[in-house]
Amino acid sequence: MINDAIAELGTETLGFSTKTLQFSDSACWLLSTVEALRSKGRIQSLFANAIGVNFTDSENHNRPFCSWKTTAGQTGSFHVVKTPRGGCPIIPVWQQILEDIFMTRHPFELKKQIPFQEAIRPAMGMGMKGRAEELQAYLRLIDGNIGVNLKLLTPRFGLNSVVLDSFFNVPQEEGTTTTATVLVAQCNIDDMTLAHAIAVHKTEKSGGVKGKTASWVVHAYDQLFLCQPKFVVGLQTTKQPKKGLSCVVDTTDNTTNNDNGLLEGSIYVCDGFIRTTVTGLPPI
């Protein structure tokens, strides 16, 4: 369980309400899943039940010393960054601790002081099985009972409303269950010049629009560019009658817009979604 030091600090010190931040090009496949879990309260629950943390003052008061220990037996310590550098936003404290835990899988890069987000390998070539195994390996540094399973859905011919409903109907509140289900959107930005995975915060079913059957509205969050794209996933009649309905992702009204001006005017094109099931988690 969470130790007394963290209980006294409170959740705001760790910043669980602050979204995940990505700075590298290769970490999106992991950090998008982390952000989806954070949005459902699962990261906070992991800290409350499986990660013991202690803070002490250091000579540099802007960088307190943090030590941590997980129920999986991993231990570590580092100086927390609390002041911005070069105008960049500060990674929330909870994410700094999580990345320090994950960094134990990269001893060579750790020795060379390479940041975690630059040490992590890209997802290219992993496949769903390899990606699930990598996600599981990172999360098992926290709790050895955690398991991960991935399922990919790509817009294509032959899908039907039953398949879509089963995939996108993700419980928003999971109560005391030890299983979490989250979604990640696989995107291309600006005519496929950038392949990128982003977190999904919420899905909701809507009526049929623009010639489609009933659709699913997918509300996403881009942890790298700090945008909040929205995708409408539905079925429409194809031009080839024998193939029936085609699953399509509508991006007509998906020009990016955010307070930071990042990717202003860019368009996200979603070419697939990953449904991630994580088992063995502590209940919320």
Side-chain angles (χ1 to χ4, degrees):
M1 296 297 290
I2 196 167
N3 59 35
D4 293 338
I6 291 298
E8 292 174 3
L9 287 168
T11 59
E12 286 308 308
T13 298
L14 295 182
F16 292 118
S17 62
T18 304
K19 298 181 181 71
T20 308
L21 290 176
Q22 178 185 336
F23 294 103
S24 76
D25 293 331
S26 60
C28 61
W29 65 273
L30 173 61
L31 295 183
S32 56
T33 305
V34 167
E35 169 56 23
L37 289 168
R38 182 211 62 84
S39 71
K40 301 188 78 169
R42 290 298 186 168
I43 297 298
Q44 184 171 342
S45 179
L46 274 174
F47 272 86
N49 294 278
I51 306 173
V53 183
N54 187 52
F55 290 101
T56 55
D57 290 331
S58 65
E59 294 181 2
N60 184 345
H61 294 292
N62 289 326
R63 300 193 66 187
F65 192 72
C66 170
S67 58
W68 53 263
K69 181 177 182 180
T70 71
T71 56
Q74 300 293 326
T75 60
S77 58
F78 69 104
H79 286 281
V80 175
V81 176
K82 295 188 68 177
T83 54
R85 296 177 178 179
C88 295
I90 303 172
I91 294 179
V93 175
W94 69 262
Q95 186 182 340
Q96 293 184 46
I97 297 171
L98 210 60
E99 290 189 8
D100 201 59
I101 295 171
F102 291 165
M103 196 65 188
T104 59
R105 289 194 72 209
H106 305 275
F108 176 77
E109 290 83 356
L110 180 62
K111 188 175 181 179
K112 298 185 69 172
Q113 297 185 327
I114 296 174
F116 169 72
Q117 291 195 27
E118 295 177 16
I120 185 174
R121 61 175 288 200
M124 185 178 297
M126 287 185 187
M128 288 298 103
K129 184 175 184 293
R131 192 158 164 173
E133 290 172 350
E134 285 290 299
L135 283 168
Q136 180 173 282
Y138 280 115
L139 292 174
R140 282 189 173 179
L141 295 171
I142 302 172
D143 188 323
N145 295 315
I146 292 177
V148 177
N149 180 265
L150 302 184
K151 182 179 181 181
L152 174 66
L153 182 144
T154 55
R156 62 187 188 275
F157 296 117
L159 293 178
N160 56 50
S161 58
V162 175
V163 173
L164 291 189
D165 288 353
S166 175
F167 190 91
F168 288 103
N169 187 18
V170 178
Q172 298 303 312
E173 301 293 336
E174 295 169 324
T176 59
T177 179
T178 59
T179 298
T181 302
V182 296
L183 296 179
V184 166
Q186 297 282 100
C187 302
N188 288 289
I189 304 173
D190 285 345
D191 196 24
M192 301 185 73
T193 57
L194 176 62
H196 188 38
I198 63 177
V200 171
H201 280 174
K202 179 179 153 183
T203 61
E204 56 186 351
K205 196 169 185 178
S206 69
V209 294
K210 298 181 181 178
K212 302 180 184 66
T213 62
S215 306
W216 282 90
V217 180
V218 180
H219 300 269
Y221 170 73
D222 187 333
Q223 66 284 341
L224 176 60
F225 295 111
L226 312 183
C227 305
Q228 299 184 59
K230 181 176 71 174
F231 306 103
V232 179
V233 187
L235 301 172
Q236 67 180 16
T237 303
T238 70
K239 295 181 181 179
Q240 303 176 51
K242 289 184 179 180
K243 292 191 175 181
L245 295 174
S246 174
C247 175
V248 295
V249 182
D250 184 10
T251 56
T252 303
D253 188 27
N254 204 27
T255 302
T256 58
N257 184 17
N258 59 58
D259 296 334
N260 298 291
L262 300 175
L263 284 188
E264 190 70 32
S266 296
I267 295 179
Y268 284 75
V269 177
C270 182
D271 56 13
F273 297 91
I274 297 174
R275 183 179 172 111
T276 303
T277 303
V278 184
T279 59
L281 292 167
I284 298 175

